[in-house]
Amino acid sequence: MAADSTLLLSLVEEFVSGLQDSKAKDAAKGKLVLVILSLTSSQAPTRARGVQLLSEVLKECYGELTEREVEVLIAFYENRLKDHYVITPPVLQGLRALTRCTTLPPGSAVSMLRSLFQDVHVQQILCLGADFVFGFVQSMDGERDPRNLLLAFQIAKNIIHRGYDLGKFTEELFEVTSCYFPIDFTPPPNDPHGITKEELIQELRGVLTGTPKFAEFLLPLIIEKLDSDVPSAKLDSLQTLTACVSQYEHKDLAEFLEGLWASLRREVFQTSSENVESAGLAALTALTSCLSRSVLSSDSEDSLSSFLDLILKDCKHHLCEPDLKLVWPSAKLLQATCCASNRASHIVTAAVMPSLIDQYNSRTQCSQRRTLLEVVQQFIQSVKSSQSSDSDESVLSAFREALCSIMFSALSESDSSLQITATSALTSLAQLTGLLLDSDIELAIDHLTRLSAHMVECAGALAELHPAAFIAKLIPRLKHEMFYLTEPSKQHSHHTMRQRCLSALAAVSKQSSVVQDSTPVLLEVLSSAHKGSVSFSVDEVVLACHSLQRIAEQVEDEEETGRCFHDVIIPRLLSLALQAALQGSPGVRSPLVEEAVLSAMVPVISTSCSRLQPTMAAQTASRAVSLFLDGDVSFLPDNSFPSHIQLLKQQGDSWSQSQMVCLLMGCVCSLPRSVEVPQIDQLLSALEEMSCTCSHQLSYTSAAKCFAGLVNKRPPGQLVLIQRTMKRVCSELDSTSSSVRIQAFTLMIWVAKALLLRYHPLFKTLTDKLFSLLDDTDLGLMAADSFSLLMSDFTDVLNRSCHADVRIMYRQRFFSENSAKLVQGFNAATQEKKSNYLKALSNIVNKLPKQVQVTELPALLSLLLEALTCPDQGVQLSTLSCLEPVLINPPPALIQQLEALVNRLLALLCSPAMNVRIVSLRCIHALSSFPVHEVLPFRARVLRALAKPLDDKKRLVRSEAVQARGEW
């Protein structure tokens, strides 16, 4: 026996050294342990020869191995895949031999495949050829576990994409994967593996659409599956068709085109699902695009023309019947083919457009004309999407005159719906290069000056394309319409016309060249309103400011535009506001001192300042601070102001100057944080003084907001002033006899908001003070309302567009840190103060994201149920809004409180507030989906209570009551 072992070892050594092959292989049969002992060499070639010997032996004796031996050998080979690359080929041979074993352990095929794709370069596996594909097909056949299927789909996709030779096993690979199509999988609840249906769909789709070799098998399968009654199967099939044709050539599709078209036509004509219809149209576009890529030769059939002939034959005649329901499905199918390629759009448009134009001209009913014009507009948009570049001659060039004729004809009609359609179609036509001449633009402007509301947006779209014509024609006409009233009896209609003119000026001002001409007109409106030379109402002045704000938001961000706002608009607004504030004539009051107008000016200034370049932003800050601190009016136009102006101090009972502090807020609180505000400490001190001493609400509130906006952006080490300010504020709040407690509270809550947004530690001190004020007799209700301010976003200050320091999830952090304090305070409060805590809680929870509400509300459920009994309708409404999403998937804690919840909701059905009644009914509706055994005891009582809202005087309440009663 010892002699036999010695001989075997010597033969193995000869094999691994390359001296002998067959004798070692024959001798090693049945002696695998001894063979494995030879694989410990430190030399890679030697180890490779040893593995090769083992693999050769396994080819001969794989049928004699036990399951445990196969398991050990697989683990060995998988480990060797991580070894030197020269060892990989014999390892692959050994793994192939092991796959033939009848004792292959469960899961080992997946394990081997995973190791192959993780550790082996493609070229090394390619040497296995079609045998590897066959082995994979065998290992995957009959697999049901979604985890293994996901991995198997990924491997199959890699086999296809990495160029493996499928050989004669192409159909087998398709069959073994396509048997799962379309995927029908619902993950079990609380699935620890997290495998979703969408993941499986995407991976399988990647396999089926990965190679044109599958076309002859996949396309008939898709046609078959489109006959399914299951919408998800139809949708998956259509999306798969869209994905696969991007890989195919026209020859792969040729024999299936009629079947595919019949299926797609049926889905669009007969579907009840918008998703299926959209997927069908997308598939048709992809199919047409694939055919458009075919290269024609003298002896080949034009597949695209043949396919489009099929479509035109089935769809074109429906376009001549605008009253029938098939006109839109037919139009959509033709438009889907039209937008696929430039060539397709030429063929379809040439066939369809003359017929549509003739139909429009021959019809007299407005409804039919509108339908035809809407179809024309959709074709125009399809042609635009199919154009390869703006320089290409448009497909519609041959129909330019006829299209312009029918659109201008429609604009002249009295039917408003036809006008709306015509303006939309004209806008679409204008976006195609060369289809509107200068004379057409002028004619369009003539129609647009009538300015019905729907024409305003059309004017904006056309102005982007033809700014010069609008500067020369439209803007002067709009100015004339606003400033000159021909008949005093038409005052009301003139007010409406002014509103439309102001909106139109904003709509057309998207380019800097137009802004240079439109903004002076808007500023002239403000100036004329102030001087009284032309009578403009406060509403019209506010709308002029809104138009300026819209221009600041939408105009192209260029230096020329920034300079226009910096040098002209902002100084002009400040000058006009200051003139109005200083106006001393008794009985004469400029509209520009109205709070509504000043509040509308603030976003104009803040929006434009937030977009200024750094140099101009710094100059704006310097000018604004010098005006409000030092009375420097040198940069203002119409400089006829008195000296020693003090805008940050209230002059006796006059508040017209002090309220201008809101414009200071617009200037300095919207600047980027990199811009340094000059004299910042003096400015903060002056704002603090105004906040704590001024008696005018707009003045002290704006000063507090400006103070907070500046504090929010200050570096961490420069907030010493805040501690002094807060000491003063707390002193005023602690003094119940103080006459400025409301002012001090306003400053405190805005500073608290500024510090909350940036997670400053001082915020905790202010929060504690705010909680203590909930028990205050005078300020308790105001303190409860202020929690809504802390949690809300504001457009004029302390938001990201103003470059404020806003940290993520500040609301969630505030809630997590302070909800326990609210509960403790509620439990300790006297009965008459409990409502303040409930209102504060409701204001906080109502502003949280819905996902957080659903997670956190069970812990606060008892307080929320208590809040439903609060007499404050605002608290009731916000609490109901919080509860409604939670009722969809109720937590166990809520079901335990079901009786209390039902009692409170039924009581609210008699609320005098309509919104409270509506949301209560929605919550009662949601309760019907609770477990039957839980809600059945309440059924009779709920149905009796729902009888009254069924006769409610408000239709929306009756509608909700009907739905709720039907579910119960």
Side-chain angles (χ1 to χ4, degrees):
M1 183 68 181
D4 290 343
S5 298
T6 304
L7 175 61
L8 177 58
L9 287 174
S10 65
L11 289 172
V12 168
E13 288 177 3
E14 289 179 5
F15 185 93
V16 299
S17 62
L19 299 177
Q20 183 63 265
D21 281 356
S22 59
K23 286 185 179 180
K25 181 175 69 175
D26 294 338
K29 290 178 184 177
K31 305 284 196 309
L32 293 182
V33 176
L34 294 175
V35 175
I36 294 174
L37 289 174
S38 69
L39 302 175
T40 58
S41 171
S42 60
Q43 300 298 316
T46 303
R47 294 198 303 278
R49 293 284 291 176
V51 174
Q52 182 181 348
L53 175 59
L54 177 60
S55 299
E56 294 286 350
V57 171
L58 288 178
K59 286 181 183 180
E60 304 295 333
C61 63
Y62 62 85
E64 303 172 13
L65 298 174
T66 65
E67 181 175 322
R68 177 58 183 161
E69 289 171 336
V70 173
E71 186 177 356
V72 171
L73 286 167
I74 289 174
F76 167 75
Y77 275 121
E78 287 178 350
N79 184 267
R80 289 303 89 201
L81 287 173
K82 299 179 174 62
D83 203 340
H84 197 276
Y85 68 89
V86 300
I87 301 174
T88 303
V91 170
L92 296 177
Q93 294 174 11
L95 286 173
R96 182 165 60 177
L98 289 174
T99 58
R100 300 174 181 172
C101 293
T102 57
T103 55
L104 200 65
S108 57
V110 174
S111 173
M112 285 190 284
L113 288 169
R114 183 185 289 113
S115 298
L116 286 173
F117 284 97
Q118 285 179 350
D119 302 320
V120 183
H121 295 292
V122 175
Q123 290 79 2
Q124 293 168 327
I125 304 179
L126 287 174
C127 65
L128 296 177
D131 288 343
F132 175 76
V133 177
F134 180 67
F136 170 74
V137 169
Q138 282 188 314
S139 67
M140 182 181 172
D141 192 19
E143 183 58 65
R144 298 175 61 89
D145 191 311
R147 294 169 295 173
N148 292 342
L149 279 176
L150 189 63
L151 179 61
F153 292 154
Q154 292 168 350
I155 293 169
K157 187 165 65 173
N158 283 332
I159 289 173
I160 294 168
H161 290 174
R162 295 183 180 182
Y164 290 81
D165 179 19
L166 304 183
K168 58 186 178 181
F169 301 116
T170 302
E171 185 173 1
E172 282 74 9
L173 180 60
F174 176 81
E175 291 295 338
V176 81
T177 51
S178 64
C179 65
Y180 301 99
F181 176 81
I183 293 289
D184 182 17
F185 169 66
T186 302
N190 304 318
D191 180 17
H193 308 294
I195 295 175
T196 64
K197 178 179 179 180
E198 188 59 31
E199 282 181 309
L200 290 168
I201 288 174
Q202 293 300 327
E203 293 298 337
L204 177 57
R205 187 175 297 158
V207 177
L208 300 180
T209 64
T211 173
K213 294 177 182 178
F214 284 167
E216 60 179 308
F217 314 119
L218 177 60
L219 295 177
L221 178 64
I222 288 176
I223 294 172
E224 176 191 337
K225 296 300 180 183
L226 284 174
D227 288 333
S228 169
D229 294 329
V230 182
S232 62
K234 289 178 180 286
L235 190 62
D236 193 359
S237 300
L238 291 167
Q239 291 172 344
T240 302
L241 176 60
T242 303
C244 74
V245 294
S246 63
Q247 309 289 328
Y248 293 174
E249 297 180 8
H250 68 98
K251 61 184 180 182
D252 300 317
L253 301 170
E255 64 177 296
F256 306 105
L257 287 177
E258 289 191 22
L260 289 170
W261 162 241
S263 296
L264 293 174
R265 179 188 59 201
R266 182 185 65 247
E267 294 311 319
V268 176
F269 274 6
Q270 301 177 8
T271 186
S272 59
S273 166
E274 289 186 9
N275 290 335
V276 171
E277 181 188 64
S278 299
L281 295 172
L284 182 58
T285 300
L287 197 59
T288 309
S289 178
C290 175
L291 296 176
S292 301
R293 294 194 296 268
S294 61
V295 179
L296 296 180
S297 60
S298 57
D299 58 345
S300 67
E301 181 186 2
D302 187 352
S303 301
L304 177 64
S305 294
S306 303
F307 185 60
L308 293 181
D309 286 343
L310 280 175
I311 298 173
L312 288 167
K313 179 182 176 182
D314 289 341
C315 296
K316 182 181 174 182
H317 64 279
H318 290 305
L319 300 183
C320 300
E321 303 163 343
D323 288 332
L324 301 182
K325 64 178 183 178
L326 289 181
V327 63
W328 274 115
S330 299
K332 289 177 181 177
L333 288 165
L334 288 168
Q335 289 151 13
T337 60
C338 194
C339 65
S341 69
N342 197 31
R343 187 171 157 227
S345 68
H346 270 281
I347 297 173
V348 175
T349 304
V352 169
M353 196 58 68
S355 174
L356 288 172
I357 294 171
D358 290 343
Q359 284 291 315
Y360 180 89
N361 290 325
S362 65
R363 302 283 178 171
T364 56
Q365 293 185 18
C366 286
S367 60
Q368 294 175 336
R369 284 189 157 195
R370 185 182 67 249
T371 300
L372 290 165
L373 200 54
E374 287 171 349
V375 173
V376 168
Q377 181 195 359
Q378 295 300 319
F379 271 107
I380 293 172
Q381 292 177 342
S382 299
V383 168
K384 182 177 184 298
S385 64
S386 69
Q387 270 191 208
S388 55
S389 68
D390 291 338
S391 59
D392 290 346
E393 183 179 359
S394 176
V395 174
L396 297 172
S397 297
F399 310 103
R400 188 195 70 78
E401 290 185 12
L403 288 172
C404 289
S405 174
I406 65 174
M407 289 176 194
F408 290 132
S409 169
L411 286 173
S412 303
E413 297 282 350
S414 58
D415 186 82
S416 60
S417 62
L418 188 56
Q419 288 180 346
I420 292 172
T421 306
T423 54
S424 299
L426 188 62
T427 304
S428 300
L429 193 65
Q431 292 170 351
L432 293 172
T433 307
L435 286 184
L436 288 186
L437 305 178
D438 291 341
S439 58
D440 298 324
I441 297 297
E442 291 185 11
L443 184 56
I445 291 174
D446 288 336
H447 285 286
L448 291 173
T449 50
R450 289 183 291 149
L451 282 176
S452 51
H454 51 269
M455 292 186 177
V456 170
E457 294 307 318
C458 176
L462 290 174
E464 278 192 275
L465 302 165
H466 306 278
F470 277 76
I471 292 171
K473 298 285 184 181
L474 184 63
I475 292 178
R477 291 188 189 182
L478 294 178
K479 179 179 178 180
H480 183 273
E481 291 284 351
M482 287 192 295
F483 281 88
Y484 300 103
L485 175 61
T486 54
E487 299 180 32
S489 61
K490 296 183 178 179
Q491 183 73 41
H492 177 73
S493 61
H494 193 237
H495 172 70
T496 304
M497 176 58 74
R498 277 179 170 174
Q499 290 180 321
R500 291 176 181 169
C501 289
L502 291 168
S503 298
L505 281 171
V508 301
S509 302
K510 296 181 180 179
Q511 295 185 344
S512 57
S513 59
V514 182
V515 171
Q516 304 290 335
D517 285 80
S518 62
T519 51
V521 177
L522 293 169
L523 291 173
E524 191 173 344
V525 170
L526 301 181
S527 178
S528 300
H530 164 63
K531 294 175 182 176
S533 56
V534 179
S535 177
F536 284 94
S537 68
V538 171
D539 289 341
E540 290 167 349
V541 176
V542 169
L543 186 55
C545 293
H546 288 165
S547 296
L548 283 170
Q549 178 191 354
R550 182 178 172 185
I551 293 171
E553 290 171 345
Q554 72 187 13
V555 70
E556 297 172 357
D557 199 3
E558 299 176 353
E559 183 177 358
E560 183 182 2
T561 308
R563 192 157 295 284
C564 174
F565 278 91
H566 174 264
D567 293 342
V568 179
I569 297 174
I570 295 175
R572 185 72 171 148
L573 290 175
L574 292 173
S575 176
L576 288 171
L578 185 55
Q579 290 174 36
L582 296 173
Q583 194 175 53
S585 303
V588 180
R589 180 167 166 173
S590 169
L592 271 61
V593 300
E594 297 292 338
E595 180 177 338
V597 175
L598 283 173
S599 298
M601 283 186 182
V602 172
V604 180
I605 296 174
S606 63
T607 302
S608 52
C609 286
S610 68
R611 300 182 66 183
L612 289 177
Q613 295 181 350
T615 304
M616 287 188 281
Q619 192 174 357
T620 296
S622 177
R623 286 175 173 180
V625 172
S626 63
L627 170 63
F628 281 85
L629 275 185
D630 308 324
D632 180 6
V633 294
S634 59
F635 71 97
L636 298 179
D638 303 328
N639 190 355
S640 57
F641 303 107
S643 57
H644 308 299
I645 297 174
Q646 294 181 315
L647 296 177
L648 293 183
K649 291 185 179 179
Q650 184 174 351
Q651 308 295 323
D653 293 332
S654 175
W655 40 260
S656 58
Q657 294 181 41
S658 63
Q659 69 177 357
M660 281 188 63
V661 70
C662 67
L663 302 183
L664 171 66
M665 176 187 71
C667 287
V668 298
C669 292
S670 57
L671 299 172
R673 276 177 268 173
S674 58
V675 176
E676 186 175 349
V677 178
Q679 306 182 67
I680 183 68
D681 290 334
Q682 297 93 310
L683 182 60
L684 288 172
S685 296
L687 290 169
E688 175 194 332
E689 188 65 25
M690 174 177 268
S691 299
C692 292
T693 58
C694 184
S695 59
H696 182 241
Q697 184 177 5
L698 177 60
S699 301
Y700 70 71
T701 303
S702 298
K705 291 164 76 173
C706 187
F707 186 95
L710 293 171
V711 164
N712 175 264
K713 297 180 185 178
R714 294 216 75 184
Q718 301 180 20
L719 290 175
V720 179
L721 177 67
I722 307 303
Q723 296 178 346
R724 188 198 70 193
T725 302
M726 289 303 100
K727 185 178 294 186
R728 175 181 180 178
V729 165
C730 292
S731 175
E732 296 288 356
L733 291 173
D734 290 340
S735 174
T736 55
S737 60
S738 173
S739 60
V740 292
R741 290 187 83 204
I742 293 178
Q743 289 90 324
F745 177 81
T746 302
L747 178 58
M748 184 196 78
I749 197 64
W750 278 105
V751 172
K753 170 82 173 177
L755 298 178
L756 165 64
L757 294 179
R758 59 182 288 183
Y759 294 168
H760 194 277
L762 185 57
F763 173 70
K764 186 177 183 301
T765 304
L766 298 181
T767 305
D768 293 341
K769 185 65 180 176
L770 182 59
F771 276 111
S772 69
L773 291 173
L774 288 171
D775 292 319
D776 189 278
T777 303
D778 299 322
L779 297 177
L781 190 58
M782 187 180 294
D785 287 330
S786 68
F787 282 92
S788 178
L789 185 151
L790 289 177
M791 303 290 282
S792 300
D793 291 324
F794 291 86
T795 56
D796 53 355
V797 71
L798 294 176
N799 57 65
R800 288 187 172 88
S801 63
C802 291
H803 306 288
D805 187 357
V806 182
R807 307 296 174 86
I808 60 172
M809 297 193 294
Y810 73 89
R811 294 182 180 88
Q812 291 91 315
R813 178 169 178 170
F814 177 77
F815 174 79
S816 64
E817 291 179 353
N818 295 286
S819 57
K821 294 180 184 178
L822 269 175
V823 175
Q824 293 171 5
F826 173 82
N827 293 330
T830 58
Q831 190 61 38
E832 60 271 15
K833 303 300 180 187
K834 285 183 182 292
S835 61
N836 292 339
Y837 286 90
L838 294 174
K839 190 168 190 178
L841 175 65
S842 181
N843 285 331
I844 294 173
V845 174
N846 198 40
K847 299 295 181 182
L848 290 173
K850 295 298 182 186
Q851 300 90 333
V852 180
Q853 287 184 2
V854 171
T855 305
E856 300 291 344
L857 284 192
L860 303 171
L861 189 58
S862 59
L863 263 69
L864 291 172
L865 291 175
E866 189 73 26
L868 292 178
T869 64
C870 181
D872 190 309
Q873 292 175 359
V875 175
Q876 293 173 357
L877 187 59
S878 62
T879 305
L880 288 169
S881 300
C882 297
L883 283 172
E884 188 181 357
V886 183
L887 297 177
I888 298 173
N889 292 303
L894 186 59
I895 296 177
Q896 293 170 5
Q897 298 276 354
L898 188 57
E899 184 170 2
L901 179 59
V902 170
N903 291 337
R904 285 161 175 75
L905 290 175
L906 294 181
L908 291 175
L909 294 180
C910 300
S911 170
M914 181 186 75
N915 288 338
V916 172
R917 300 199 300 275
I918 288 175
V919 184
S920 299
L921 286 166
R922 288 176 183 165
C923 291
I924 291 171
H925 185 173
L927 290 179
S928 65
S929 61
F930 279 32
V932 175
H933 67 281
E934 298 285 355
V935 297
L936 196 58
F938 304 100
R939 182 173 180 272
R941 181 151 49 111
V942 170
L943 291 175
R944 283 196 302 270
L946 288 175
K948 185 174 181 180
L950 286 173
D951 291 329
D952 197 280
K953 60 183 179 180
K954 295 294 184 180
R955 179 182 60 82
L956 295 176
V957 176
R958 294 197 301 272
S959 175
E960 293 291 343
V962 168
Q963 294 183 44
R965 193 173 190 274
E967 289 299 321
W968 275 88

